[in-house]
Amino acid sequence: MSVFATLVEQVADLLQPVFHASAAAAAIVLITVLVRLLVHPLSRASARGQRARAALRPRVAELREKHGRDPEKYQKALLELHAREKVSPLAGCLPGLLQIPAFVLLYHLFSSTTIGGGPNGLLDHRLFGAPLGHRYADALGDGGVFGAQGLVHLALFVVVAAVATFNYRRTKRTAAAAPPEAGAGQEIPGLGAVSAFMPFLSYFTLVTVALVPLAAALYVVTSTTWSAVERAVLYP
């Protein structure tokens, strides 16, 4: 963590002439953008994989019709089809999984009072008066919803809600435009209910932003916004 803390401090020092007291917050946003840029090639590969899976839908429907009464044979045939066409059903998970370490580091970095045996100086940094190590509960206890800290968190909630609404509408529009597949959802009990619930998952980011330190919340908000824009570009 000390290495990551040094990185944040150095980037904050570079940004200090522009962002002044909020330089560390700006550094976190910049580091998040750099992480997303590093992961972007995988996101593009994931988009290509999704288009390839979409092209396989007629053949998947044939397999479902042929092996619909034998889930084990259907799954085996489906895996063989993906292997022949070099399409990985898990490729879309990689971009999200590779971002987890950065989030975990930020969370622990701004949750720890000490780093390398010394005091954690990053906890002194603020964003418009809100300490980067404080959570929303701390903001409510110091000025309430419309206090200096509360307003910072409220702004993040507004951004997350706007992005979640964008994702929700886009997911619903995409689902409505997709052609229905015969027997879809029969191989996994309850899949229909899960699919109906999926568009609402973006709103759970609000809970994350409320519970984690402000620094980690900045990472989540920046990354979530990036994802929404990225998906709009890669999945038109």
Side-chain angles (χ1 to χ4, degrees):
M1 281 206 306
S2 58
V3 174
F4 193 64
T6 301
L7 174 63
V8 174
E9 288 280 14
Q10 289 178 345
V11 176
D13 289 341
L14 291 174
L15 298 176
Q16 200 277 332
V18 177
F19 294 97
H20 306 291
S22 298
I28 291 168
V29 173
L30 180 58
I31 290 171
T32 306
V33 170
L34 292 176
V35 169
R36 294 309 307 255
L37 282 173
L38 290 173
V39 176
H40 182 67
L42 290 176
S43 298
R44 295 183 67 88
S46 175
R48 290 194 296 270
Q50 181 164 319
R51 288 192 289 269
R53 289 192 296 274
L56 291 178
R57 282 175 184 167
R59 296 168 68 180
V60 171
E62 292 175 4
L63 291 177
R64 186 183 293 112
E65 184 176 353
K66 182 178 179 181
H67 302 295
R69 296 184 179 181
D70 192 334
E72 186 175 341
K73 283 187 177 181
Y74 169 70
Q75 291 295 336
K76 182 180 179 181
L78 188 62
L79 290 174
E80 290 174 351
L81 173 64
H82 285 154
R84 284 197 305 271
E85 300 297 330
K86 298 181 180 180
V87 174
S88 172
L90 300 178
C93 300
L94 286 177
L97 291 175
L98 292 178
Q99 295 170 58
I100 293 177
F103 171 78
V104 172
L105 276 173
L106 270 176
Y107 178 87
H108 286 291
L109 189 59
F110 284 89
S111 297
S112 303
T113 56
T114 60
I115 297 178
N120 186 356
L122 287 172
L123 297 181
D124 296 329
H125 290 279
R126 295 171 175 261
L127 173 60
F128 300 121
L132 294 181
H134 281 197
R135 293 165 169 79
Y136 186 51
D138 299 314
L140 293 178
D142 185 6
V145 176
F146 299 108
Q149 294 188 49
L151 288 175
V152 171
H153 285 84
L154 188 60
L156 296 184
F157 292 149
V158 170
V159 173
V160 171
V163 172
T165 300
F166 173 81
N167 288 335
Y168 170 80
R169 291 178 175 175
R170 194 169 184 277
T171 302
K172 295 287 285 186
R173 185 170 62 250
T174 302
E181 297 181 12
Q186 291 180 1
E187 69 276 8
I188 303 179
L191 183 60
V194 173
S195 299
F197 180 72
M198 285 294 288
F200 295 96
L201 288 180
S202 294
Y203 289 99
F204 279 86
T205 308
L206 288 165
V207 179
T208 302
V209 170
L211 295 179
V212 301
L214 179 58
L218 280 173
Y219 180 93
V220 171
V221 173
T222 305
S223 185
T224 301
T225 304
W226 178 287
S227 293
V229 175
E230 187 177 64
R231 290 188 66 83
V233 173
L234 296 180
Y235 303 88

